[in-house]
C-alpha cells in the first residue's frame, strides 16, 4: 500500500476521525484510524467508537493497493505538523507506516486493517438533501435538555421525527422538555421517531459546520449524514421515548408575556442567590412579575418586572438554570409563560412564528 | 389492728386479658396467631383481609379441616387445644401452636366471629365472642374451613390501643408478619389485602428461593445467592443478598427456625459474622436464613409469641449458620467485585468519633453500658455486649412511656434497634483520651433531631491538637496525636463537615422538591407498597411524591431537589425501610439526613484530591465543630487510630 495525498485534504479527514476514535476503549483498535486505498485516486479514512462512525473518501494518488490502521491522534498531530504540502504514506513490514513529507521521514507502528471493525457503509443508503442550518438549529435547541444520566439511556438522546417535509426534535431529562418543529424538505420519511444519542449529535454538528446543505438518511439502526466527502453513521438508541405530547400542557389557565432579555438578566441575578438545590420563585400578580430567591448561606434577592399579567396571583418555583438555558435558545424579544397551578408544568414559548416550546416542571420551595 | 383478707383469684376475663397482653401485642400478632392456626388446620389457601391497619378488622379465611360445633366452642376457652396432649409433646412439636391460648386471648380484647365447617357437616357453626363473653351460636352456610373475623381490636383495652402506631405502620407490620409466614411455608398460598388492595399474593412455590422471589420483588431476589449446608443434624438454608444491598437496620435479616420466624441475637450476629468485612459496621446484610435442627434440640415454648427459641446447643447452631453464610458468601458471584473493597487487616481502634464527652440525653431508663473498645473487626453492633433481655424490655417500657408523655423526648430517644450499641454514659468521662468511647455508630444518631438535641458539653479540641504530617495516597490525612498515629479519611471527614453545615442551614426550611415530567417507576417490596399508599403525607414532607403503580412497583412523581437522577430511588427505598420501622416524623428526619448527606457527598473533596497543609489543617479544625451523633447515614468511619504501643508491638520492641 502506498499513496500520495495533499496535506490539507488529509487533515480534513483526520480531524474528525481523531475526535471520534475512542482512546479509552478496552479495544485498542478503536483508537486507530483506518486507511484503505480505493481504486487509483481515492483513500478511505474511517474511525469508529462503535456508536459513531466516520468515513471520508479523500482524493489521493495511489501507487499500491492495500490498507492499514494507525493511531488516529498520533497520525493527525503528525500530519498537521508536517512541513510539506503533500505526504506519501507507505506500508512496510509488520504494519509499520512510513510517511514522507518534504525532508521529514516518519515511521509509526500500525495494525492490520483486517482487524478494524466493519463500519456502516453510506453507499448502501438513499440520502435526501436538507438545509444544514435548519438541522443545526434544531439540534442546538434540543441538545441542552438531553439527560446525562447513563442509566436512563432512553433519555440520552434527542427524538427525531420527520415526515419528508416537516421535522421535529424533542429532548427531555425528566425535569424539563424542549420541542422544536421546522419544515425540512428532503428529510427522511419516518413512520416513527428515532432517538439520536447526544454524542452523535455533537459529531453531526461538527460535520455540518460551514455547510449550507447536507444529505440525511435514516436506516435503522443508524442515522447517516453526509457533507461532501465526509459521512457519519450514528447508531440510534434502541428504546422507547416517553410520550412527550402528554406532558405538554394543552390549555393552561394563566398566561403572561415577558421581555426575554430582561427575564434572563433577572434570573441570572436571582441564580447568584440560590444554592444548587433551591429554586427561584416567580410570583405573578396583576401587572407585575416578581422574581425572588434566597440562600440561607448568602442572603436574598427580589426583583420586580412589569408584565401584562391580568389573572389571579400565583407563585411558582423553578430551577433557574433550566429557564435560563431554555430562554437562551429562543430568539424572540418576548416570551410567553403559561401556567396551570403552582405544581403544574410551566409552558414557555417564544412570541412569534417560531415553532418551539419548552416545558419545565416546577419546584416546590 | 386487723388485717382483712386481700388476696383474690382473678376472674377469668381478667386472666384472659393479661394473657392477651403477652400474646396479642398488635394487629400483626393477631394475624400471625390466626394464620398459624390455619396452617395447623391443614389449609392450602389462606386469605387475610385487613382494614385500618388491623384495628378495624382482621379477617382470616382458610380452607383447612374446620371444626365440629363442640370443638369450635371449646376452642374459645383457654388452654383448649388439639395440638398437645402431654408435656412431653412439647419437645419436637410439629404444629405452629400448642398452648390453646391464642383464640381466647384475642377474643378477650376484640369482637371475634368464628365461622367453621368440617367436610362432614351440613352447616357451618358461627360463634360471636365479644370482650371475652361467648355470645350466640348459630348455624350458617359457609364453605369448608374456618373464617375468623376480629373487629375493633383493643377497643376494650384503651391502654393498649394508645400504644399502637399509625395505620400505615401497623399495616406494614402485618405485611411483614404474613411475609415471614409465607417464607416459612412456601407450599401454602397466602394472600393479604389491606383495605381490599392486594398487598401480598404468594401462590404455592416449589422452593424457598422461589418463595423469596415472590416476596422480595425481582430487584432483590435477582441478587440472592442460595446455599444449603447440613452439618451434625443442623441444616441451614441461606439466601444471601450481595453486600452492597446492606441496610441500616437488621430488618433485612430474616431468621427461621423450624419454620418459625424468630428473633435471635446470636443467629443475627452469626449471619453478620458470616459476611465478614463485606458489610461495613453499623449496617446489616440482607439475608434469609432457615435453620432446621433435630427434634428435641430446640424449645419453642420460651416466648409468648414464640418469637424466641432456645437451643440445647446454641453455640453449635450459631457456628453452623456462620459457616453456611461464609460458604455462601465465598461462592457467591458478587464476591469478586466486593473483595477488593475489604479493609486493610490492621488491628486498631477505629471509631466514628474523636474522644469527647457527651451531655446527658433525657432518655429514661437507659442502662449504663460500660464503654467498650472495638477492634477493627467488630463487624456489627451485634458484636457489642448485649444487655439482658429483661433490661431491654425494661428500657423499652420506659421509652414508650416517655414517648407517650412528650413527643419531643420521643424524637430524641435513640431507636430501639440501637439497643446493643455501646451507649455513652451521661456523666462526663474523666479521661478524654480514652479511645474506648464509641459514638453512636450505625443508626443511633439517625433519630436525633438537631434542633431538639441539647447542646453538647464543651468538646475537647481533639482534631485541632493533631499535628498534620502529610497525605497518604491522596486519600488519608496522616496526623500525630497524643501517643498515637491518627489516619483520617479526607472525603468522609469533609462530608461530615459539609453535612453538618447543610443540616443546620436546612433546619428551618422545608425540603425543596423538583417535580418530574415523567414519573419514574421503581420496584420495592410488598411491605413498602402499603406504606406508600398510607403514608403519602409523610413522604411528601420528605420531598417525595409517590404512588403505588401496581404489583410491587411505585411511581415517583417528585423528588427532593439536588439529588442526581439515579439517587432518588436509593434514598426512597431507604426511607420506606425506615418508615416501616419507626414513626413517620422520625423517619422523615432520618431521611432528610440521608438526602443532605447525599448532597453533601457531591460537594466535598474526594479521595484522590491533593490537599495542601493549610487545607488539611482547616479541615481538622472544622472537624472539631462537628456533632458526631449527627453523622451521615453513610456511616463509614472517619478516622483510624493506631496507638504507639501497637506500633511498638508490631516492631517487636
Amino acid at each position: 500500500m502506498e499513496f500520495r495525498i495533499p496535506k490539507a485534504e488529509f487533515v480534513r479527514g483526520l480531524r474528525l476521525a481523531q475526535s471520534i476514535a475512542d482512546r479509552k476503549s478496552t479495544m485498542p483498535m478503536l483508537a486507530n484510524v483506518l486507511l484503505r486505498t480505493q481504486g487509483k485516486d481515492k483513500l478511505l479514512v474511517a474511525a469508529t467508537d462503535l456508536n459513531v462512525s466516520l468515513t471520508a473518501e479523500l482524493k489521493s494518488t495511489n501507487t499500491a493497493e492495500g490498507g492499514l490502521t494507525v493511531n488516529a491522534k498520533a497520525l493527525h498531530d503528525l500530519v498537521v505538523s508536517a512541513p510539506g504540502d503533500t505526504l506519501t504514506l507507505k506500508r512496510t513490514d509488520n504494519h509499520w507506516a512510513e510517511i514522507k513529507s518534504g525532508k521529514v521521514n516518519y515511521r509509526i507502528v500500525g495494525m492490520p486493517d483486517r482487524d478494524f471493525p466493519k463500519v456502516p457503509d453510506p453507499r448502501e443508503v438513499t440520502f435526501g438533501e436538507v438545509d444544514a442550518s435548519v438541522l443545526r438549529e434544531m439540534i442546538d435547541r434540543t441538545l441542552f435538555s438531553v439527560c446525562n444520566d447513563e442509566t436512563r439511556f432512553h433519555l440520552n438522546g434527542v427524538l427525531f421525527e420527520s415526515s419528508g417535509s416537516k421535522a421535529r426534535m424533542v429532548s427531555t431529562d425528566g425535569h424539563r422538555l424542549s420541542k422544536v418543529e421546522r419544515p425540512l424538505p428532503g428529510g427522511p420519511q419516518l413512520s416513527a421517531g428515532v432517538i439520536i444519542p447526544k454524542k452523535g449529535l455533537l459529531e453531526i454538528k461538527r460535520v455540518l459546520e460551514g455547510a449550507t446543505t447536507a444529505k440525511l438518511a435514516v436506516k435503522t439502526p443508524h442515522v447517516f449524514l453526509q457533507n461532501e466527502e465526509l459521512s457519519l453513521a450514528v447508531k440510534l438508541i434502541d428504546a422507547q421515548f416517553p410520550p412527550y405530547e402528554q406532558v405538554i400542557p394543552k390549555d393552561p389557565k394563566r398566561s403572561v408575556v415577558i421581555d426575554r432579555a430582561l427575564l434572563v438578566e433577572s434570573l441570572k441575578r436571582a441564580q447568584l442567590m440560590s444554592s444548587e438545590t433551591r429554586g427561584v420563585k416567580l410570583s405573578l400578580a396583576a401587572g407585575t412579575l416578581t422574581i425572588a430567591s434566597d440562600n440561607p448561606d448568602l442572603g436574598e434577592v427580589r426583583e420586580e418586572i412589569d408584565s401584562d399579567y391580568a389573572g389571579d396571583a400565583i407563585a411558582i418555583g423553578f430551577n433557574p438554570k433550566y429557564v435560563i438555558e431554555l430562554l437562551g435558545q429562543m430568539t424572540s424579544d418576548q416570551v410567553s409563560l403559561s401556567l396551570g397551578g403552582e405544581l403544574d408544568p410551566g409552558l414557555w414559548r417564544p412570541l412569534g412564528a417560531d415553532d418551539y416550546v419548552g416545558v419545565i416542571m416546577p419546584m416546590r420551595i | 389492728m386487723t388485717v382483712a383478707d386481700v388476696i383474690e383469684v382473678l376472674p377469668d376475663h381478667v386472666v384472659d386479658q393479661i394473657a392477651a397482653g403477652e400474646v396479642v401485642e398488635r394487629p400483626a400478632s393477631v394475624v400471625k396467631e390466626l394464620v398459624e392456626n390455619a396452617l395447623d388446620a391443614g389449609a392450602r389457601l389462606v386469605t387475610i383481609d385487613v382494614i385500618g391497619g388491623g384495628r378495624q378488622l382482621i379477617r382470616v379465611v382458610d380452607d383447612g379441616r374446620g371444626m365440629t360445633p363442640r370443638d369450635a366452642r371449646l376452642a374459645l376457652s383457654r388452654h383448649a387445644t388439639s395440638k398437645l396432649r402431654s408435656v412431653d409433646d412439647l419437645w419436637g412439636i410439629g404444629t405452629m401452636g400448642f398452648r390453646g391460648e391464642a383464640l381466647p386471648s384475642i377474643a378477650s380484647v376484640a369482637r371475634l366471629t368464628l365461622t367453621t365447617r368440617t367436610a362432614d357437616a351440613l352447616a357451618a357453626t358461627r360463634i360471636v365472642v365479644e370482650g371475652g363473653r361467648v355470645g350466640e351460636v348459630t348455624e350458617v352456610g359457609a364453605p369448608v374451613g374456618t373464617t375468623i373475623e376480629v373487629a375493633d381490636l383493643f377497643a376494650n383495652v384503651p391502654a393498649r390501643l394508645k400504644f399502637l402506631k399509625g395505620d400505615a405502620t401497623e399495616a406494614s407490620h402485618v405485611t411483614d408478619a404474613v411475609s415471614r409466614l409465607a417464607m416459612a411455608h412456601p407450599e401454602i398460598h397466602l394472600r393479604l389485602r389491606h383495605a381490599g388492595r392486594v398487598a401480598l399474593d404468594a401462590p404455592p412455590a416449589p422452593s424457598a428461593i422461589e418463595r423469596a422471589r415472590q416476596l422480595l420483588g425481582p430487584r432483590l431476589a435477582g441478587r440472592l445467592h442460595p446455599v444449603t449446608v447440613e452439618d451434625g443434624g443442623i441444616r441451614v438454608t441461606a439466601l444471601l443478598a450481595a453486600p452492597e444491598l446492606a441496610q441500616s437496620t437488621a430488618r433485612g435479616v430474616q431468621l427461621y427456625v423450624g419454620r418459625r420466624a424468630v428473633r435471635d441475637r446470636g443467629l443475627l450476629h452469626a449471619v453478620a459474622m458470616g459476611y465478614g468485612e463485606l458489610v461495613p459496621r453499623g449496617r446489616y446484610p440482607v439475608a434469609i436464613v432457615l435453620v432446621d435442627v433435630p427434634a428435641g434440640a430446640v424449645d419453642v415454648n420460651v416466648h409468648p409469641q414464640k418469637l424466641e427459641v432456645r437451643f440445647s446447643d446454641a453455640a453449635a447452631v450459631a457456628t453452623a449458620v456462620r459457616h453456611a453464610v461464609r460458604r455462601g458468601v465465598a461462592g457467591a458471584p458478587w464476591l469478586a467485585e466486593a473483595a477488593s473493597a475489604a479493609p486493610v487487616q490492621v488491628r486498631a481502634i477505629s471509631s466514628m468519633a474523636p474522644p469527647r464527652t457527651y451531655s446527658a440525653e433525657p432518655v429514661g431508663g437507659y442502662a449504663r453500658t460500660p464503654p467498650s473498645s472495638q477492634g477493627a473487626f467488630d463487624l456489627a453492633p451485634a458484636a457489642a455486649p448485649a444487655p439482658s433481655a429483661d433490661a431491654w424490655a425494661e428500657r423499652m417500657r420506659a421509652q414508650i412511656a416517655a414517648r407517650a408523655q412528650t413527643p419531643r423526648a420521643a424524637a430524641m430517644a435513640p431507636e430501639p434497634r440501637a439497643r446493643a450499641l455501646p451507649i455513652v454514659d451521661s456523666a462526663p468521662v474523666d479521661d478524654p483520651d480514652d479511645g474506648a468511647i464509641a459514638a453512636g455508630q450505625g443508626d443511633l444518631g439517625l433519630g436525633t433531631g438537631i434542633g431538639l438535641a441539647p447542646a453538647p458539653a464543651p468538646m475537647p479540641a481533639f482534631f485541632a491538637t493533631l499535628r498534620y504530617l502529610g497525605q497518604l495516597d491522596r486519600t488519608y490525612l496522616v496526623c500525630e496525636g497524643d501517643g498515637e498515629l491518627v489516619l483520617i479519611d479526607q472525603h468522609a471527614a469533609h462530608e461530615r463537615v459539609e453535612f453538618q453545615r447543610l443540616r443546620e442551614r436546612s433546619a428551618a426550611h422545608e425540603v425543596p422538591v423538583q417535580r418530574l415530567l415523567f414519573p419514574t417507576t421503581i420496584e420495592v417490596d410488598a411491605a413498602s407498597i402499603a406504606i406508600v399508599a398510607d403514608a403519602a403525607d409523610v413522604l411528601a414532607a420528605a420531598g417525595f411524591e409517590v404512588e403505588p403503580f401496581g404489583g410491587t412497583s411505585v411511581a415517583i412523581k417528585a423528588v427532593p431537589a439536588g439529588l442526581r437522577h439515579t439517587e432518588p430511588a436509593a434514598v426512597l427505598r431507604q426511607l420506606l425501610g425506615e418508615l416501616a420501622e419507626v414513626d413517620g416524623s422520625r423517619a422523615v428526619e432520618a431521611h432528610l439526613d440521608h438526602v443532605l448527606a447525599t448532597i453533601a457527598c457531591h460537594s466535598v473533596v474526594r479521595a484522590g484530591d491533593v490537599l495542601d497543609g493549610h487545607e488539611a489543617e482547616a479541615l481538622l479544625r472544622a472537624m472539631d465543630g462537628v456533632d458526631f451523633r449527627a453523622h451521615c447515614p453513610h456511616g463509614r468511619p472517619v478516622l483510624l487510630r493506631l496507638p504507639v504501643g501497637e506500633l511498638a508491638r508490631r516492631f517487636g520492641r
Side-chain angles (χ1 to χ4, degrees), chain B residues 316-334:
Chain B
V317 177
T319 307
V321 168
R322 196 174 69 237
H323 282 170
V325 172
R326 183 148 286 175
R327 186 179 301 182
V329 167
W334 25 259

Side-chain angles (χ1 to χ4, degrees), chain A residues 149 173-174 297 343 363-364, chain B residues 501 505 513 515 517 540 565:
Chain A
D149 172 11
D173 65 2
D297 278 349
L343 294 179
M363 292 178 75
R364 207 177 64 202
Chain B
R501 196 180 66 82
R505 199 174 72 180
V513 174
R515 290 178 58 84
L517 266 171
H565 285 292

Side-chain angles (χ1 to χ4, degrees), chain B residues 24-273:
Chain B
V24 187
E25 185 191 15
R26 58 182 352 149
S29 27
V30 173
V31 171
K32 173 179 170 286
E33 295 295 337
L34 295 181
V35 174
E36 283 182 355
N37 278 348
L39 296 176
D40 287 344
R44 309 303 303 169
L45 168 65
V46 184
T47 307
I48 306 123
D49 272 289
V50 173
I51 295 172
R55 230 179 288 219
Q56 267 179 53
L57 182 75
I58 296 168
R59 184 194 301 123
V60 176
V61 183
D62 72 52
D63 60 353
R65 280 187 291 276
M67 286 180 275
T68 63
R70 171 196 169 269
D71 279 1
R73 239 167 314 188
L74 215 50
L76 290 162
S77 49
R78 210 143 39 87
H79 304 310
T81 181
S82 61
K83 304 168 188 174
L84 189 73
R85 291 290 178 256
S86 73
V87 178
D88 293 340
D89 293 352
L90 262 180
W91 290 87
I93 192 99
T95 49
M96 300 300 294
F98 46 78
R99 294 190 194 119
E101 262 181 339
L103 271 187
S105 297
I106 296 165
S108 70
V109 291
R111 193 154 49 81
L112 184 143
T113 310
L114 182 154
T115 311
T116 183
R117 180 165 87 88
T118 59
D120 306 336
L122 285 174
T125 313
R126 167 167 291 172
I127 306 177
V128 180
V129 193
E130 216 158 333
R133 277 190 317 279
V134 177
E136 50 180 328
V137 180
T138 50
E139 282 200 344
V140 293
V144 174
T146 304
T147 298
I148 294 182
E149 284 188 4
V150 177
D152 304 329
L153 185 66
F154 297 138
N156 61 345
V157 197
R160 180 64 65 147
L161 198 57
K162 213 163 65 182
F163 287 128
L164 289 187
K165 299 199 176 146
D167 284 1
T169 311
E170 293 302 337
S172 110
H173 281 292
V174 170
T175 310
D176 248 15
V178 175
S179 161
R180 275 162 205 268
L181 286 161
M183 192 62 228
H185 301 270
E187 74 285 2
I188 308 293
H189 188 166
L190 283 168
R191 192 186 288 145
L192 168 68
R193 285 187 292 242
H194 284 297
R197 205 181 50 240
V198 175
L200 191 152
D201 188 13
S207 65
I209 181 93
E210 284 303 317
R211 188 59 133 194
R213 287 213 170 97
Q214 293 171 353
L215 297 172
L216 295 178
R219 182 184 78 99
L220 213 54
R223 309 227 48 194
L224 286 180
H225 177 72
V227 61
T228 301
V229 175
E230 189 157 5
D231 181 25
I234 303 168
R235 182 186 162 85
V236 179
T237 302
L239 307 174
L240 307 170
E244 69 266 22
L245 296 172
Q247 303 179 340
S248 57
T249 72
R251 269 181 84 222
V253 182
Q254 297 185 24
L255 300 169
Y256 299 88
V257 174
R259 304 192 131 208
R260 273 175 221 283
V262 297
R263 293 189 301 224
D264 189 300
R265 301 202 52 79
L267 293 189
L268 177 63
H269 181 51
V271 174
M273 289 285 282

